[in-house]
Amino acid sequence: MRRTLLATTAVIISISSFSTFASAQDAEDQAGAGGLTDIVVTAQRREESLQKAAVAIDAVTGAALTQQGILKAEDITKSVPAISIANGGASNTSIFIRGVGNITSSSWSDPAVTPSYDGVVLARAAGAFASAFYDLARVEVLKGPQGILYGRNATGGAINIIPARPELGSTSGGFNLSYGNYEAVSVDGYVNLATSDNSALRIAGTRQVRDGFNRDGSDDLDRSGLRAQFLIEPSDAVTLRLAADWTKVGGIGPGGSYLGAFNPDSSAPNGYSLAAAPFDSSEGFNTAAANAWRQTLIGAPGFGFLDPMNAQPYVDFTYWGVNAELNWKTDIGTFTILPAYRKSKGSSLFNGPAFNTAFIDETDTQYSLEARLAGSAGMVDYVLGGFYFNEKIRANNEYNQEFVLPIQAYEHKTRSWALFGQLTANLTERFRLVGGLRYTHDYKSMDGMINNFITFCGSPPPNNITPPASFANGCAAPGALPHYPNFLTTGDTINWLVSNGWIAAGSADQPNVQVFPLTNGVGTILKTYNPVVDSGTYSRLTWKASAEFDLTPDNLLYATVETGYRAGGFQLAEGKSRYDPEFITAYTIGSKNRFFNNRVQLNLEGFYWKYKDQQITYFTVDTGGTLISSNENAGKATIKGFDIDAVVKPTRTTTVNAKVQYLDATYDDLHLYTASPRDNIACPFTYTGATAGGAPVKDFNCSGNPLLFSPKWTVNLGAEQVVPVGDTLELVGSVNTAWRDDQWGAFEYLDFERIRAYWQTDVNLTLRSADRGWSISGFIYNLEDKRRISSPQRSPIGMAVARFTAPRTYGLRLSAEF
């Protein structure tokens, strides 16, 4: 990697040296007419041009989001090569940047990539990713640890969703209305009112609906949003902005399809072979054909045939929040205060990953307060601040696997505070040194209960009966075993078993482990009892050091080393209620350049990250043999590569762009532990000497494998051509295509979990007025009409399943501003 960094440095210096020559030869104004425009970002808590920000960042304007059909945060991957999004069901979403992230459906797990909305850090990714994208100024994606200036420490990066702000002295409005296939309708609009000489009100709203991409109606869209902001500037020194937003998410929700079923196979390298399912990528889990195939499969540990899905999935979540931003300019700098309160509440039934059926009922509340002072003293610029955060989660969930019914009820709390500071020493007009420190203290607590109802063929382990003996025991006979309904309490479950004659009359729920023999003598039900009442604190000092040099006014060189930390926590996992913090150290060198009278932009970045104790989630077993989804700390990983971002505008009417990322992200140390029948992992193993449920525990050594969602090569290419049509109209054509190399989507490293490389292309054709007052566009997204795997998963009940990207979509869009 040292050679890579040296080579990247040489390229940066060579290009920047050429730029010095070009600038000397070119006497024209660098903001020449028809040149590239600047994007203003606030990633470093101040307004600055994207080209002047000495950080690894991508930014997408609100206009570009609309043109590319980015209606929700999951679609931001169209514009940012470094980011990947995974969602296996319900409202939780996992974000990855360069392989740093974690797939989980548990809300107690903090995101590795921190989302923020309107300057407010969100504890849960769902809060940002549920919010509809409408009337936005821009979206900023910061790559790498954000351990200094952001409210919660992030090891992978940050996503800042920034609404358009009220404009003083302007009364205006605008809207976008689109219609497409799958009965897709999207409408959004805003109005900006000048309520006085020094105040303004901006109100925006949206409604988005679309039929599902799958035959069972899943992967649909049903989203409404409303936002209001009031801005007042009572004096030149004081600015106050009040904001509120509301989002409602409904519909069936995320879906997936069966890829096949795993069967024990001693001739296979890892002991299992996959029998392919007879479905395409759009079948869904809950069609007649999918349910008929499902009933041909045997489910462990009862080893009876599975039932059809027992309920139609749905999503019903509401997200809302209020926040304020006060800026007060004083002689020592600008004070900024950001108070905020947010709440989400709702429920969801979902089938992923082939559960029958999972249910989540959850309420999350958070309030936060951030205070900053930004100013200058001599040659030193400074940002000093403090941050307080308080979150409470209440949830009651179940994950119905027919012969296993985990029931969770818990309250999870987080309190966090931090002090931070960043100093910039302007040693010369062109050379700066930057240093930053942040001390973070996190307190977390878990007060919950997880009960598992587990139906075994025969007796509980180690005397349970497995195939083929289970067939002779009658466990696969129709009606031989109970299939659990979707209950949220142990009392309701036991009452149902009693009333349907499965267990002895008079059986009652007790606060301990219970064993219930089936009255027909075929099997036994084990009810586990695992209260988790635990709490603890985590703290860390993170730091940043960087150097910046303006080779010319249009050419910036920078080098940075920065550390990041993500607190450990607590979970409802039998025998494994705690997991530890994770840490990252990132080295970056970069250059941002404009050439040839502002018509060529070339930004380069080389990076080298050392990642330790990554928090990962996978299905394993506890010492009692019970299947659990557990947060674990992986060993070590090395992430290295480079980014090239080029934009060329050879004429006033032509723009081409290219973004290329090379990524080598590898686990130096990764061990996964589990036992049969959950041991379908394609890594070499040794026996630990322990047993789980009577089966030997295996230590799978997956070291040397890539991190998840870390394609080696990622390429985004685009071109736009504007053709004048008379004096008042313009015709604009654009093509954007993206290449994603092979990448892995799950930790078992099974063949179906490898997401194969693919191209995906979008095209737009727009007729607009020359003054940009109105436009009408035709668009086609995913021109190839290929649905690619986005989130593969080995189901805990033995199937290979996956969620897929969208098929080809197309339609018309009418936009206007007035």
Side-chain angles (χ1 to χ4, degrees):
M1 181 58 199
R2 183 180 301 170
R3 291 194 298 272
T4 302
L5 288 175
L6 289 173
T8 304
T9 304
V11 170
I12 290 170
I13 293 173
S14 298
I15 291 174
S16 299
S17 298
F18 173 74
S19 172
T20 304
F21 172 78
S23 297
Q25 296 296 309
D26 192 347
E28 295 186 41
D29 181 5
Q30 290 301 301
L36 297 169
T37 58
D38 282 341
I39 299 175
V40 175
V41 297
T42 53
Q44 299 193 92
R45 302 309 194 193
R46 64 175 183 266
E47 290 190 352
E48 60 186 336
S49 165
L50 179 65
Q51 289 301 106
K52 301 296 184 182
V55 292
I57 179 176
D58 282 332
V60 188
T61 65
L65 293 169
T66 299
Q67 182 184 28
Q68 296 178 50
I70 298 175
L71 300 178
K72 54 188 186 301
E74 285 182 67
D75 298 331
I76 199 68
T77 54
K78 288 184 176 185
S79 281
V80 182
I83 198 169
S84 298
I85 310 297
N87 185 322
S91 63
N92 287 302
T93 301
S94 300
I95 318 168
F96 286 78
I97 290 182
R98 293 173 177 166
V100 180
N102 185 21
I103 298 176
T104 180
S105 60
S106 300
S107 57
W108 56 69
S109 178
D110 294 333
V113 178
T114 300
S116 68
Y117 180 80
D118 198 12
V120 178
V121 172
L122 304 181
R124 308 296 125 208
F129 278 51
S131 300
F133 274 28
Y134 64 99
D135 195 33
L136 295 184
R138 65 191 174 277
V139 173
E140 302 173 356
V141 178
L142 287 83
K143 297 168 284 188
Q146 306 299 315
I148 307 300
L149 295 179
Y150 282 81
R152 300 294 306 280
N153 278 290
T155 46
I159 300 178
N160 302 331
I161 302 170
I162 302 170
R165 305 293 177 89
E167 299 178 11
L168 296 177
S170 172
T171 296
S172 58
F175 68 86
N176 297 288
L177 172 63
S178 68
Y179 178 78
N181 59 333
Y182 294 94
E183 299 298 321
V185 177
S186 176
V187 58
D188 65 77
Y190 77 91
V191 60
N192 191 97
L193 302 174
T195 52
S196 71
D197 292 340
N198 61 355
S199 66
L201 174 67
R202 192 179 187 102
I203 300 174
T206 189
R207 178 74 174 124
Q208 303 166 359
V209 293
R210 188 199 65 231
D211 290 346
F213 295 140
N214 300 323
R215 296 184 187 96
D216 63 356
S218 60
D219 279 346
D220 61 341
L221 183 63
D222 184 351
R223 187 168 300 182
S224 303
L226 185 65
R227 182 191 306 127
Q229 302 175 76
F230 179 70
L231 173 67
I232 183 169
E233 294 186 1
S235 71
D236 292 340
V238 177
T239 299
L240 174 64
R241 186 173 58 88
L242 306 175
D245 64 274
W246 171 89
T247 301
K248 177 74 171 180
V249 180
I252 294 174
S257 292
Y258 297 108
L259 302 179
F262 285 102
N263 299 304
D265 184 351
S266 58
S267 65
N270 57 319
Y272 296 87
S273 61
L274 180 66
F279 307 121
D280 63 15
S281 57
S282 301
E283 185 63 36
F285 292 127
N286 200 22
T287 65
N291 280 316
W293 181 80
R294 179 185 179 89
Q295 293 176 82
T296 68
L297 305 179
I298 298 288
F303 300 110
F305 288 99
L306 297 175
D307 276 355
M309 295 297 183
N310 62 24
Q312 174 73 342
Y314 73 86
V315 176
D316 184 10
F317 266 86
T318 301
Y319 305 84
W320 66 271
V322 292
N323 57 283
E325 179 180 348
L326 173 66
N327 290 289
W328 177 29
K329 296 179 182 178
T330 71
D331 292 339
I332 62 172
T334 300
F335 284 99
T336 300
I337 300 176
L338 298 164
Y341 175 84
R342 299 202 64 84
K343 183 173 183 178
S344 66
K345 180 179 177 60
S347 61
S348 176
L349 273 172
F350 61 98
N351 295 145
F355 288 147
N356 189 1
T357 302
F359 179 76
I360 288 177
D361 185 9
E362 185 172 312
T363 300
D364 303 347
T365 58
Q366 72 165 69
Y367 56 88
S368 61
L369 177 65
E370 183 169 349
R372 300 192 303 266
L373 172 64
S376 300
M379 68 176 187
V380 176
D381 301 330
Y382 55 82
V383 178
L384 307 173
F387 176 77
Y388 177 76
F389 175 86
N390 189 303
E391 180 197 32
K392 181 184 291 185
I393 303 172
R394 289 193 178 97
N396 194 186
N397 309 331
E398 58 87 8
Y399 301 91
N400 191 339
Q401 299 155 51
E402 300 203 30
F403 302 117
V404 180
L405 180 65
I407 299 174
Q408 300 178 352
Y410 64 88
E411 181 175 277
H412 184 273
K413 296 180 180 179
T414 299
R415 293 197 302 270
S416 178
W417 61 266
L419 298 174
F420 58 89
Q422 181 167 297
L423 305 180
T424 301
N426 299 280
L427 301 182
T428 72
E429 290 185 357
R430 298 166 61 187
F431 182 58
R432 299 170 296 279
L433 293 178
V434 181
L437 291 174
R438 183 187 191 95
Y439 178 79
T440 302
H441 180 85
D442 292 303
Y443 167 83
K444 292 187 176 183
S445 67
M446 172 70 80
D447 185 356
M449 172 71 70
I450 179 170
N451 298 106
N452 283 282
F453 285 85
I454 309 170
T455 302
F456 295 100
C457 182
S459 301
N463 299 316
N464 54 313
I465 303 173
T466 62
S470 60
F471 294 98
N473 195 60
C475 293
L481 299 174
H483 297 248
Y484 296 107
N486 302 323
F487 291 123
L488 290 172
T489 68
T490 54
D492 287 344
T493 308
I494 290 175
N495 289 340
W496 177 83
L497 291 168
V498 170
S499 62
N500 285 273
W502 290 110
I503 61 177
S507 299
D509 185 27
Q510 298 178 8
N512 51 40
V513 176
Q514 294 178 270
V515 178
F516 303 97
L518 294 180
T519 54
N520 60 12
V522 171
T524 306
I525 295 175
L526 170 68
K527 189 207 80 174
T528 67
Y529 180 83
N530 267 283
V532 177
V533 181
D534 207 346
S535 63
T537 60
Y538 308 89
S539 59
R540 186 73 173 180
L541 182 68
T542 51
W543 54 269
K544 171 184 178 179
S546 65
E548 306 172 9
F549 181 64
D550 297 323
L551 194 58
T552 77
D554 296 313
N555 303 91
L556 169 68
L557 296 174
Y558 64 92
T560 300
V561 57
E562 186 167 10
T563 62
Y565 140 90
R566 181 160 60 128
F570 304 91
Q571 61 181 339
L572 292 182
E574 294 90 331
K576 297 183 177 183
S577 63
R578 293 186 170 211
Y579 53 92
D580 295 328
E582 67 177 28
F583 310 94
I584 193 168
T585 302
Y587 303 86
T588 304
I589 58 173
S591 179
K592 296 188 175 183
N593 308 277
R594 288 280 178 89
F595 306 123
F596 304 115
N597 195 29
N598 210 34
R599 293 185 181 277
V600 175
Q601 176 177 299
L602 180 62
N603 296 340
L604 307 173
E605 178 200 353
F607 53 89
Y608 182 81
W609 299 356
K610 296 298 291 185
Y611 196 16
K612 180 182 178 182
D613 296 331
Q614 179 190 11
Q615 296 167 13
I616 68 173
T617 303
Y618 71 101
F619 284 104
T620 181
V621 292
D622 69 357
T623 54
T626 302
L627 174 71
I628 58 173
S629 176
S630 177
N631 271 19
E632 306 282 336
N633 291 95
K636 300 177 181 179
T638 300
I639 303 167
K640 55 191 176 183
F642 61 82
D643 240 272
I644 302 173
D645 186 351
V647 184
V648 180
K649 195 165 187 179
T651 72
R652 181 190 298 270
T653 58
T654 304
T655 306
V656 295
N657 63 79
K659 292 183 180 182
V660 179
Q661 177 181 268
Y662 170 77
L663 179 62
D664 181 0
T666 305
Y667 281 110
D668 303 313
D669 180 24
L670 175 62
H671 288 256
L672 307 175
Y673 300 88
T674 189
S676 177
R678 313 298 179 188
D679 57 343
N680 187 9
I681 298 175
C683 300
F685 69 88
T686 58
Y687 291 102
T688 66
T691 60
V697 174
K698 298 177 179 179
D699 172 0
F700 289 89
N701 185 356
C702 296
S703 305
N705 282 327
L707 276 70
L708 302 192
F709 299 103
S710 60
K712 189 168 288 290
W713 288 98
T714 307
V715 179
N716 283 36
L717 304 174
E720 180 184 87
Q721 180 64 51
V722 180
V723 179
V725 182
D727 296 330
T728 60
L729 298 176
E730 294 177 337
L731 190 64
V732 185
S734 65
V735 178
N736 293 278
T737 189
W739 163 264
R740 297 292 184 270
D741 210 343
D742 286 3
Q743 56 186 308
W744 291 97
F747 284 110
E748 293 81 22
Y749 296 100
L750 299 169
D751 184 66
F752 84 93
E753 294 172 340
R754 182 194 291 271
I755 302 172
R756 307 298 178 183
Y758 64 91
W759 285 99
Q760 183 167 308
T761 305
D762 298 342
V763 296
N764 284 267
L765 185 63
T766 299
L767 179 67
R768 69 190 184 195
S769 62
D771 62 2
R772 312 291 177 86
W774 63 268
S775 66
I776 185 168
S777 303
F779 57 85
I780 304 175
Y781 304 135
N782 187 3
L783 188 65
E784 296 83 356
D785 197 22
K786 299 290 186 182
R787 299 197 69 183
R788 316 289 183 174
I789 290 177
S790 63
S791 302
Q793 190 170 12
R794 186 201 66 179
S795 171
I797 52 178
M799 287 87 87
V801 299
R803 188 184 181 197
F804 291 82
T805 59
R808 179 191 296 151
T809 57
Y810 51 86
L812 296 174
R813 180 187 304 111
L814 174 65
S815 302
E817 292 189 345
F818 48 86

